[in-house]
Amino acid sequence: MTLTLAVTNNGLWAIALIIGLLAALLVAGLLLVLVRAVRDIDASVSSLLDVAGKVAGNTAHIPQLQATAPVLGQIVDEAVVQDGYMNALTDGYGGVPA
């Protein structure tokens, strides 16, 4: 037993138009999603540019840190001298109960 569908030419056109309408609606929905995503990205980039300016301001003085490298030895030497002074001041206080 075979089942044949009797579809007329007008029926085939109606099916084609329905499929086309569904495809157009799908494309319109995807375009709407795309536009929303682009707006979200644009808002994120705007806030990122604000933050990037602040980061640039915070890091503008980093090259000046290179000037501290030559004097680090002097800083360490002075710290050793200060440590010696502190040890001399605290000698004799270790045996006294608090």
Side-chain angles (χ1 to χ4, degrees):
M1 174 175 196
T2 61
L3 180 65
T4 59
L5 294 174
V7 180
T8 63
N9 196 19
N10 287 340
L12 290 176
W13 272 106
I15 292 172
L17 287 175
I18 290 171
I19 291 173
L21 178 64
L22 291 176
L25 290 175
L26 179 66
V27 168
L30 290 174
L31 283 174
L32 184 62
V33 169
L34 178 65
V35 167
R36 286 183 182 170
V38 168
R39 286 183 184 161
D40 288 343
I41 290 170
D42 188 40
S44 296
V45 167
S46 295
S47 65
L48 249 173
L49 288 175
D50 293 338
V51 171
K54 292 176 184 176
V55 169
N58 290 339
T59 59
H61 302 292
I62 288 178
Q64 294 176 352
L65 291 175
Q66 292 176 347
T68 60
V71 296
L72 286 178
Q74 294 173 356
I75 293 170
V76 169
D77 293 340
E78 183 62 26
V80 169
V81 169
Q82 295 299 320
D83 185 51
Y85 289 151
M86 293 305 292
N87 287 337
L89 289 174
T90 58
D91 285 346
Y93 289 107
V96 178

